[in-house]
Amino acid sequence: MKKLAVLGARGHGKDVAEIAELNGWGVVFFDDAFPSVNSLAHWSVVGNTQDLLAGLQSFDGCFVAIGNNRIRLAKQQMFSEKGATFPVLIHPSAVVSRYAVIGEGTVIKANAVVNTFAKVGVACIVGTVSTIAHDCVLGDSVHVSPGANVAGAVIIGDCTWIGLGATVRQCSKIGANVVVGASAAVVKDVSDGLTVVGVPAKVLIM
Ligand SMILES: CC(C)(COP(=O)(O)OP(=O)(O)OC[C@H]1O[C@@H](n2cnc3c(N)ncnc32)[C@H](O)[C@@H]1OP(=O)(O)O)[C@@H](O)C(=O)NCCC(=O)NCCS
């Protein structure tokens, strides 16, 4: 059986591990809280980031299952520079167009849909029952949360987080490092680094 090293032994890691198993991988976890954390449900946690770097050659693939978009991308880039390879993990119930392009280290969770000619960057999370419509372009380490719907030809920058159940109007441009709050409706372009909430979505000023 192919062996996958998964970095990040928390809730998202459990989803990643199950989807990996459904795709024929055997999973071993690493986490920076090791050795305080040495198991996750029935999986073993056997080391931290440094241990994984030292033992990369023992694995057929590597996956960073950390929720924070910037940390996930930085870790994937670091492992990539050391020669690690990252599978695309797609839950069997997800529907991914044959014309979509999905970057390495991206996970597509249960019942998500990625439609024709969509491009999804590396290290992204396409959440449960979310939809990415035709011709969308998602940067690297974007997280589309469960139940969010991204309409056609939307462009989303690196490390942006689309919250639970949010909707994004077709052809919108959302910058990098944006947070779209849960249940927001994005109907205008959003600049880099902003947090937007509400229907229609407006900048959250705190
Ligand atoms: C937008 C968000 C990031 C803001 O979080 P935060 O910085 O901790 O902000 P707070 O919870 O302190 O809220 C600040 C204000 O914004 C409002 N607010 C927060 N989230 C909101 C949302 N999604 N829609 C509308 N208003 C929202 C709060 O009511 C509060 O208003 P007030 O100052 O009038 O009381 C967060 O609420 C959110 O929606 N996160 C997405 C969660 C998600 O999708 N999880 C999926 C995990 S897979």
Side-chain angles (χ1 to χ4, degrees):
M1 183 184 278
K2 300 175 292 180
K3 275 176 67 183
L4 185 68
V6 176
L7 180 69
R10 300 182 103 180
H12 173 53
K14 291 179 190 169
D15 282 355
V16 165
E18 186 183 19
I19 296 168
E21 288 179 349
L22 290 167
N23 282 280
W25 293 88
V27 170
V28 175
F29 272 99
F30 290 77
D31 193 285
D32 287 340
F34 177 84
S36 310
V37 173
N38 57 21
S39 67
L40 176 70
H42 59 277
W43 293 284
S44 298
V45 180
V46 300
N48 60 20
T49 295
Q50 293 310 318
D51 297 320
L52 178 52
L53 278 171
L56 268 182
Q57 68 288 346
S58 312
F59 294 92
D60 303 294
C62 195
F63 209 92
V64 184
I66 293 174
N68 181 291
N69 292 340
R70 274 173 276 191
I71 295 173
R72 186 172 65 255
L73 184 59
K75 296 271 191 191
Q76 178 159 326
Q77 286 169 340
M78 182 179 65
F79 287 116
S80 189
E81 282 162 16
K82 299 292 180 192
T85 56
F86 300 84
V88 173
L89 295 178
I90 301 175
H91 192 282
S93 67
V95 176
V96 178
S97 165
R98 70 176 77 173
Y99 301 116
V101 178
I102 313 294
E104 60 177 16
T106 284
V107 60
I108 300 180
K109 295 196 180 183
N111 288 307
V113 177
V114 181
N115 271 341
T116 45
F117 299 99
K119 289 186 187 154
V120 178
V122 305
C124 291
I125 302 170
V126 179
T128 308
V129 202
S130 65
T131 64
I132 311 290
H134 61 87
D135 300 302
C136 284
V137 180
L138 275 57
D140 294 336
S141 219
V142 171
H143 180 181
V144 179
S145 296
N149 292 303
V150 182
V154 166
I155 297 174
I156 302 178
D158 295 346
C159 297
T160 280
W161 181 21
I162 309 293
L164 280 170
T167 56
V168 183
R169 188 164 78 177
Q170 68 274 10
C171 303
S172 304
K173 293 186 179 64
I174 298 179
N177 300 304
V178 167
V179 177
V180 174
S183 300
V186 176
V187 296
K188 290 182 181 162
D189 294 353
V190 182
S191 302
D192 292 352
L194 295 177
T195 295
V196 295
V197 298
V199 181
K202 298 209 163 85
V203 176
L204 178 63
I205 299 164
M206 290 192 287

